Amino acid sequence: MTISYKELGFVNTKEMFANAMKDGYAVPAYNFNNLEQLQAIITACAESKSPVILQVSKGARNYANGTLLRHLGRGAVEWAKELGANIPIALHLDHGDSFEICKECVDAGFSSVMIDASHLPFDENVALTKKVVEYAHQHDVTVEGELGVLAGIEDDVVAEKSTYTNPEDVEDFVKKTGVDSLAISIGTSHGAFKFKVSSPDEVPPLKFEILEEIEKRIPGFPIVLHGASSIDQTAVAEINKYGGKMENAVGIPEEQLRKAAKSAVCKINIDSDGRLVMTANVRKVLIEKPEEFDPRKYLGPARDALVEMYKNKNENVLGSAGRY
Ligand code: G3H
Ligand code: 13P
Ligand code: ZN
C-alpha cells in the first residue's frame, strides 16, 4: 500500500528551500530515533517558529520500526498545530543507500529522500540518483543527492584530500540527475570525533572557497551540509564528569555554520549534538539520583535540555527561527 506524505500532513522541501535561499538562512534537519527526541524537536521548532526536516536514517528505521515512525511523524504534525505553530514539517530519509530503500520510504509517506551514492564513481552516482529522482518525482517527493565524500573519523582531514566536492562536477550532476538539493563535502564530518585534534581551537576551517565556486556554477541551487554538529564542550565535559569517556570530541564552530547558513546552504544536518545533550543529562540524573528508576525521571530532563539546544540552533546558528 502506498501512502502519500500529503495525507500525513508533511510537505516536501521545495518551498522550504526557496524561502531559505531567498532570506539567507538554513532549515534544520534533525535526526530522531525515539519519542523524546521527536518531542524536543517539535517543541523547539514550534516555539521558535522554525521550519523543520525530521530526519530518519536507515539505523533509525531499524531501531524504531517504519510503521511506528510514520505514525509518530503524523502525530508530530498534528501536535505542532495544537501548539499553535503553523510550521512546515518534512519527513526525510537520511543517507538512503539504495533505490529500494528510497522507494520504500516514498511509498510509506516520506516527503523527501536522500540517495547517498557519493562513494560510487561519478557515472554510477548519476545513474542511481537519477533512478531515485524519476520515481520520487512521480510522487512529488524531493530528492537530495551527494557529491564528494565527507571525511570519516579515521581520515586526517587536516591534509588536503580529493574527497572534497569538485566544483567542476556539480553542474553536470544536477542537470543529469534532476535532484532538488545537493549535499557537498567542504570539510564537515560525521560523528562526535570529527578531527584528529586535541582542542576545538585546532579545528581546520571549512572550505568556503569550494562552496563559493559551487555557488557560481549552480546559482540559487539548494546546498546541504552534513556532519554539522558543533560538539558543545560543556556537554562533553558533563558526560566525562558523570562517568562517560569521550576524549577529543570536537565539532564545527557555530560561527562557521552561521556563515554557511547565509549562503546557498539551505539545509544543515545535526544529529550528534542531540545525542550528546541527551547522554549528558541522562548520566547526570542517574549519578546524582541513584534511587531513580522511572525512565520519565531521567529522559524528561534530557528532553528539556534538548529543547533548549534545538532552540539555540534555530535562533542563533541557522537563523531559521521566526520565519513562520
Ligand atoms: O549521518 C548519520 C546520522 O547521524 C545517522 O546516524 O546511522 O547512526 O542513525 P545513524
Ligand atoms: P553530525 O554527526 O555532525 O550530527 O551529522 C549528522 C548528519 O550529517 C546526519 O546526516
Ligand atoms: Zn549525514
Side-chain angles (χ1 to χ4, degrees):
M1 192 180 66
T2 303
I3 298 152
S4 167
Y5 67 84
K6 293 173 188 172
E7 288 166 38
L8 304 180
F10 296 115
V11 297
N12 69 22
T13 57
K14 219 169 253 167
E15 204 176 303
M16 278 185 179
F17 290 167
N19 290 337
M21 182 73 76
K22 179 166 63 70
D23 294 334
Y25 63 92
V27 179
Y30 297 133
N31 291 69
F32 78 102
N33 294 265
N34 63 31
L35 178 68
E36 283 76 11
Q37 287 173 317
L38 181 60
Q39 287 174 314
I41 295 167
I42 294 297
T43 305
C45 292
E47 284 181 9
S48 58
K49 298 188 173 14
S50 167
V52 66
I53 297 170
L54 299 172
Q55 286 204 144
V56 172
S57 69
K58 191 174 167 179
R61 286 178 86 234
N62 291 341
Y63 176 80
N65 179 275
T67 307
L68 268 179
L69 280 175
R70 174 167 70 239
H71 287 283
L72 275 178
R74 168 193 286 213
V77 170
E78 282 183 29
W79 184 46
K81 286 198 192 108
E82 284 168 22
L83 293 173
N86 189 25
I87 53 169
I89 303 176
L91 184 66
H92 174 79
L93 169 68
D94 191 24
H95 292 284
D97 59 358
S98 66
F99 172 76
E100 288 70 27
I101 190 173
C102 291
K103 180 180 182 302
E104 232 178 81
C105 287
V106 169
D107 293 349
F110 281 60
S111 61
S112 175
V113 294
M114 175 190 193
I115 174 70
D116 181 358
S118 57
H119 54 287
L120 296 177
F122 184 82
D123 288 344
E124 290 174 43
N125 186 353
V126 167
L128 179 51
T129 305
K130 187 167 184 273
K131 188 174 172 189
V132 170
V133 168
E134 280 170 359
Y135 185 76
H137 282 185
Q138 287 172 35
H139 300 267
D140 209 13
V141 168
T142 39
V143 180
E144 175 183 327
E146 178 160 347
L147 261 185
V149 180
L150 261 64
I153 55 171
E154 282 90 19
D155 291 348
D156 180 7
V157 295
V158 177
E160 288 284 341
K161 298 201 89 178
S162 56
T163 48
Y164 295 126
T165 305
N166 181 356
E168 287 177 12
D169 290 339
V170 296
E171 204 180 339
D172 203 22
F173 185 81
V174 164
K175 251 193 208 140
K176 282 182 171 157
T177 59
V179 278
D180 302 282
S181 60
L182 181 68
I184 60 167
S185 170
I186 57 165
T188 58
S189 165
H190 285 113
F193 303 93
K194 297 192 187 300
F195 307 101
K196 280 186 179 166
V197 296
S198 45
S199 122
D201 310 333
E202 296 165 31
V203 168
L206 297 182
K207 300 275 176 197
F208 280 99
E209 63 277 18
I210 298 181
L211 173 59
E212 281 161 22
E213 199 50 46
I214 289 170
E215 286 181 290
K216 270 188 215 151
R217 286 163 196 258
I218 43 172
F221 193 80
I223 300 296
V224 178
L225 277 193
H226 282 247
S229 279
S230 293
I231 314 298
D232 175 43
Q233 294 300 300
T234 311
V236 174
E238 288 271 292
I239 288 173
N240 290 334
K241 176 177 167 191
Y242 292 108
K245 193 169 189 305
M246 295 191 73
E247 281 160 21
N248 300 332
V250 289
I252 312 299
E254 288 187 348
E255 200 41 54
Q256 299 202 27
L257 297 172
R258 258 177 228 122
K259 182 173 168 186
K262 292 193 178 104
S263 73
V265 170
C266 291
K267 171 175 180 268
I268 291 190
N269 286 13
I270 294 167
D271 186 2
S272 299
D273 279 339
R275 296 180 182 194
L276 284 183
V277 166
M278 187 141 216
T279 302
N281 285 276
V282 169
R283 278 191 174 281
K284 183 173 191 287
V285 176
L286 293 180
I287 294 290
E288 287 182 348
K289 299 180 182 165
E291 72 284 2
E292 214 46 270
F293 70 100
D294 179 344
R296 293 172 297 187
K297 296 286 167 48
Y298 51 84
L299 294 177
R303 186 178 60 187
D304 294 344
L306 273 179
V307 171
E308 293 313 308
M309 189 275 285
Y310 291 129
K311 275 171 79 170
N312 178 57
K313 296 276 182 201
N314 296 348
E315 286 164 7
N316 302 317
V317 186
L318 279 65
S320 61
R323 303 290 178 174
Y324 285 86

